[in-house]
């Protein structure tokens, strides 16, 4: 029996074609809650970014943000955080200063970038987000970094970064860097432990590479119709795309709404 559902935001709940959460998905979220099923957001974004989207009015029972590096309760209060260790923080700071490629650093209270290229502008536009502020890094804890590099360009970053971290790609031209022991699953475990939920009682929806661990962990992992092929391959089921009621259709199919 499913007792909790975790949703990715971009390309899953939120459509970048319409610039909103589809009405069918909004209604489905409300019906889940009315049926006693808890709903959680599980996203690569931080709260500062989410507040800029036409989705901030939706309330969840908990938030897995920054690819699992920060978990917040239903009141959006910090439950736990997992920043990079000191060595990796130093390496990221050095790479940020060198400006060999566009690099974003995500702190608890701000998001900054070292340089802006056409690739950055296009990527940010594709996720309905403004370009982060150009600013100097001043030493705050770093929860995530974002490198605007293709897979072929990735060795450029690996030359500078030898610390422990994981690549989690959300576009062929953009990848998030998170602590080695990080990932959305770590955030999911926080809430499963908190509520006494077993994996088989959890469902998850996603569309990108950074959702693979989440869909694999969940007892039932659903890939969106617009998901990457690799995501569809590991999912338990594939629903319709975000613009064709994918969330609502899958929840009906599983008799959750």
């Amino acid at each position: 029996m499913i007792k909790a559902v975790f949703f990715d935001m971009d390309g899953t709940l939120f459509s970048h074609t319409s610039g909103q959460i589809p009405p069918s998905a909004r209604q489905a979220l409300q019906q889940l809650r009315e049926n006693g099923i808890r709903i959680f957001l599980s996203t690569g974004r931080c709260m500062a970014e989410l507040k800029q989207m036409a989705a901030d009015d939706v309330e969840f029972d908990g938030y897995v943000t920054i690819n699992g590096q920060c978990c917040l309760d239903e009141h959006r209060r910090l439950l736990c955080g997992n920043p990079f260790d000191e060595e990796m923080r130093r390496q990221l700071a050095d790479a940020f200063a060198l400006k060999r490629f566009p690099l974003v650093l995500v702190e608890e209270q701000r998001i900054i970038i070292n340089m802006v290229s056409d690739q950055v502008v296009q990527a940010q536009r594709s996720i309905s987000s403004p370009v982060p502020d150009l600013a100097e890094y001043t030493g705050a804890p770093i929860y995530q970094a974002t490198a605007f590099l293709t897979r072929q360009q990735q060795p450029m970053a690996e030359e500078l970064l030898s610390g422990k971290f994981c690549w989690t790609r959300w576009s062929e031209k953009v990848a998030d860097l998170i602590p080695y022991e990080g990932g959305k699953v770590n955030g999911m475990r926080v809430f499963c432990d908190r509520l006494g939920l077993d994996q088989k009682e959890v469902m998850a929806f996603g569309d990108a590479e950074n959702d693979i661990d989440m869909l694999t962990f969940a007892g039932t992992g659903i890939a969106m119709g617009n998901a990457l092929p690799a995501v569809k391959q590991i999912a338990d089921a594939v629903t319709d795309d975000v613009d064709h009621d994918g969330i609502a259709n899958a929840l009906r199919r599983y008799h959750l709404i």
Side-chain angles (χ1 to χ4, degrees):
M1 179 180 176
I2 300 298
K3 296 182 178 179
V5 186
F6 288 78
F7 297 93
D8 170 56
M9 178 61 85
D10 296 272
T12 299
L13 272 181
F14 189 89
S15 166
H16 292 292
T17 301
S18 65
Q20 64 178 349
I21 296 177
S24 64
R26 284 180 174 272
Q27 184 177 3
L29 293 176
Q30 181 61 35
Q31 287 180 307
L32 284 174
R33 288 190 125 174
E34 291 173 357
N35 293 340
I37 298 171
R38 295 177 185 268
I39 59 172
F40 296 90
L41 186 64
S42 186
T43 177
R45 292 181 181 266
C46 67
M47 288 308 302
E49 291 178 292
L50 291 170
K51 289 176 181 177
Q52 298 172 339
M53 301 174 70
D56 187 52
D57 59 315
V58 179
E59 295 183 356
F60 294 88
D61 294 297
Y63 301 79
V64 178
T65 67
I66 320 179
N67 283 311
Q69 306 321 300
C70 282
C71 293
L72 298 88
D73 67 12
E74 66 274 24
H75 303 295
R76 305 187 181 186
R77 296 177 301 206
L78 184 66
L79 288 173
C80 59
N82 179 37
F84 284 105
D85 62 25
E86 183 59 27
E87 174 59 23
M88 191 63 196
R89 187 200 63 77
R90 183 189 62 76
Q91 291 185 25
L92 285 168
D94 290 345
F96 190 84
L98 281 173
K99 298 183 180 181
R100 287 182 57 188
F101 55 89
L103 182 65
V104 165
L105 300 181
V106 180
E107 304 170 357
E108 185 176 347
Q109 298 296 331
R110 65 173 188 160
I111 307 169
I112 58 174
I113 193 169
N114 61 347
M115 58 188 292
V116 177
S117 66
D118 289 341
Q119 187 172 337
V120 171
V121 174
Q122 292 170 8
Q124 293 300 107
R125 185 180 297 133
S126 75
I127 59 169
S128 309
S129 290
V131 173
D133 292 334
L134 277 166
E136 296 295 320
Y137 173 62
T138 56
I142 301 171
Y143 289 87
Q144 178 173 282
T146 299
F148 291 83
L149 296 169
T150 64
R151 294 181 193 274
Q152 293 71 31
Q153 295 171 321
Q154 196 166 304
M156 189 188 307
E158 292 171 345
E159 288 178 15
L160 302 174
L161 305 171
S162 60
K164 288 187 174 183
F165 71 96
C166 293
W167 293 94
T168 175
R169 190 166 284 279
W170 51 266
S171 161
E172 286 303 311
K173 296 182 179 180
V174 193
D176 291 332
L177 287 70
I178 61 174
Y180 182 74
E181 65 280 8
K184 292 186 176 183
V185 166
N186 283 346
M188 293 172 75
R189 285 197 179 103
V190 168
F191 290 106
C192 286
D193 292 345
R194 199 167 185 240
L195 299 171
L197 296 174
D198 189 272
Q199 284 177 245
K200 66 177 180 292
E201 297 174 318
V202 172
M203 177 181 281
F205 286 81
D207 71 301
E209 195 172 289
N210 64 345
D211 297 319
I212 288 177
D213 67 336
M214 176 173 72
L215 300 192
T216 303
F217 174 83
T220 306
I222 310 294
M224 302 299 291
N226 50 281
L228 296 174
V231 181
K232 293 180 179 179
Q233 186 174 357
I234 61 88
D236 296 300
V238 178
T239 187
D240 302 294
D241 67 48
V242 63
D243 292 302
H244 291 87
D245 305 325
I247 295 291
N249 290 343
L251 293 173
R252 289 193 195 98
R253 195 172 303 130
Y254 281 87
H255 307 292
L256 297 182
I257 60 172

